[in-house]
């Protein structure tokens, strides 16, 4: 007996202990079409419904759509779409992406259309449906593409663009708002002789919460033992949290090592 399948009664009243073999028919005994689920639904419509249900946080409909696709042999389509939805329809969150990936691995190990594979599919759909819905990635990409097109059109016409990227060439130059990015890892930073100390004092800062206690302790120890001699002001700044209201502000240290 398949340990992952509970005993159930079949349509003829007989006790079933084995998972039924795929027959190419739907729940009504009718031959399924190329894109028909076992319940008699079009798989494209079910996938579309799944995405809309996830956006609206409808857990029951999301769970049903996942189950219907998984049991009908469309697990490959389900997992492809669930991973897409994580990128398209959710607030950026590493935990959700990791959980969906893990459930997919389990479903593949157990066979996507097995009972345990179906449970993994439902669990993944519930994880996605319960997450914070927000089309951050999709909206950002659409907005940036639209700005790029308008910038190019304005340049061709000899006009100033009505909309710009959040970063301009002037911003990303020495003395600009994002000057700190031009460390020794870049050509401009190398030209400015911004070697490792510049990165450690300015470029490696985090925030706005700042370093954790052990991380700050280790960084202080590293700076103290480094071949360069850092001032107390530089060490304090390297460990200080980035200002939440002005995250790119960086002081000049005349006595930089």
């Amino acid at each position: 007996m398949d340990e992952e399948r509970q005993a159930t009664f079949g349509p003829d009243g007989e006790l079933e202990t084995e998972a039924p073999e795929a027959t190419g028919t739907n729940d009504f005994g009718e031959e399924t079409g190329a894109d028909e689920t076992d319940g008699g639904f079009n798989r494209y419509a079910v996938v579309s419904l799944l995405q809309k249900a996830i956006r609206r946080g409808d857990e029951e409909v999301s769970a049903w759509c996942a189950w219907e696709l998984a049991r009908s042999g469309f697990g490959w389509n389900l997992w492809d779409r669930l991973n897409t939805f994580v990128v398209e329809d959710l607030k950026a969150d590493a935990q959700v992406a990791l959980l969906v990936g893990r459930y997919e691995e389990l479903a593949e190990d157990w066979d996507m259309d097995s009972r345990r594979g179906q449970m993994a599919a439902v669990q993944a759909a519930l994880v996605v449906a319960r997450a914070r819905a927000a089309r951050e990635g999709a909206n950002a990409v659409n907005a940036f593409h639209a700005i790029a097109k308008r910038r190019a059109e304005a340049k061709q016409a000899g006009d100033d663009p009505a909309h710009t990227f959040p970063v301009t060439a002037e911003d990303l130059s020495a003395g600009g708002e994002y000057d700190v990015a031009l460390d020794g890892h870049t050509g401009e930073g190398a030209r400015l002789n911004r070697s490792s100390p510049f990165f450690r004092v300015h470029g490696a800062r985090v925030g706005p919460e700042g370093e954790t206690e052990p991380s700050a302790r280790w960084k202080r120890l590293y700076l103290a033992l480094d071949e360069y001699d850092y001032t107390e002001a530089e060490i304090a700044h390297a460990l200080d949290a980035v200002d939440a209201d002005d995250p790119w502000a960086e002081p000049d240290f005349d006595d930089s090592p």
Side-chain angles (χ1 to χ4, degrees):
M1 173 178 174
D2 187 348
E3 293 181 357
E4 53 109 78
R5 176 175 173 80
Q6 297 181 5
T8 58
F9 288 96
D12 57 359
E14 295 295 323
L15 185 66
E16 294 182 344
T17 58
E18 298 292 333
E21 295 293 327
T23 60
T25 58
N26 60 25
D27 293 342
F28 312 106
E30 303 164 343
E31 185 176 351
T32 55
D35 294 305
E36 183 183 351
T37 70
D38 288 358
F41 300 89
N42 179 274
R43 75 173 170 95
Y44 292 104
V46 176
V47 167
S48 182
L49 177 60
L50 173 62
Q51 186 168 24
K52 308 309 186 293
I54 284 171
R55 288 177 184 167
R56 287 161 173 72
D58 191 322
E59 297 179 12
E60 184 172 21
V61 171
S62 298
W64 174 81
C65 289
W67 171 78
E68 180 68 8
L69 291 167
R71 76 168 180 135
S72 303
F74 298 121
W76 56 270
N77 194 183
L78 167 67
W79 292 108
D80 175 74
R81 301 314 298 166
L82 281 177
N83 281 288
T84 299
F85 300 160
V86 168
V87 175
E88 284 190 353
D89 299 302
L90 300 186
K91 178 181 178 181
D93 184 339
Q95 182 180 18
V96 176
L98 291 173
L99 284 173
V100 170
R102 179 55 181 150
Y103 282 128
E104 181 179 7
E105 291 175 354
L106 291 172
E108 290 176 346
D109 289 343
W110 292 331
D111 291 332
M112 290 190 184
D113 56 354
S114 68
R115 285 180 64 86
R116 286 191 296 185
Q118 294 166 26
M119 285 188 281
V122 169
Q123 289 286 84
L126 289 174
V127 165
V128 178
R130 289 169 180 167
R132 167 72 184 277
R135 288 176 53 78
E136 294 175 322
N139 290 334
V141 167
N142 290 339
F144 296 153
H145 273 301
I147 292 172
K149 180 180 178 181
R150 294 302 177 89
R151 284 175 76 246
E153 291 173 348
K155 182 177 181 179
Q156 187 174 15
D159 299 329
D160 292 330
H163 298 85
T164 61
F165 295 134
V167 178
T168 67
E170 183 179 353
D171 293 333
L172 193 55
S173 62
E177 182 175 1
Y178 307 114
D179 173 89
V180 67
L182 302 176
D183 57 22
H185 297 93
T186 68
E188 180 66 7
R191 187 185 68 78
L192 295 170
N193 196 31
R194 292 178 172 178
S195 55
S196 297
F198 180 89
F199 171 76
R200 292 167 189 149
V201 173
H202 300 283
R205 296 176 63 219
V206 299
E209 295 83 3
E211 296 283 2
T212 63
E213 186 280 326
S215 181
R217 175 163 46 84
W218 293 325
K219 184 171 184 178
R220 178 181 290 278
L221 179 62
Y222 174 69
L223 293 178
L225 300 177
D226 192 23
E227 61 182 303
Y228 299 99
D229 292 325
Y230 300 90
T231 67
E232 283 301 319
E234 288 171 333
I235 292 176
H237 181 71
L239 297 172
D240 193 24
V242 168
D243 188 341
D245 297 323
D246 192 6
W248 297 101
E250 291 289 327
D252 291 325
F253 293 107
D254 293 334
D255 298 325
S256 296

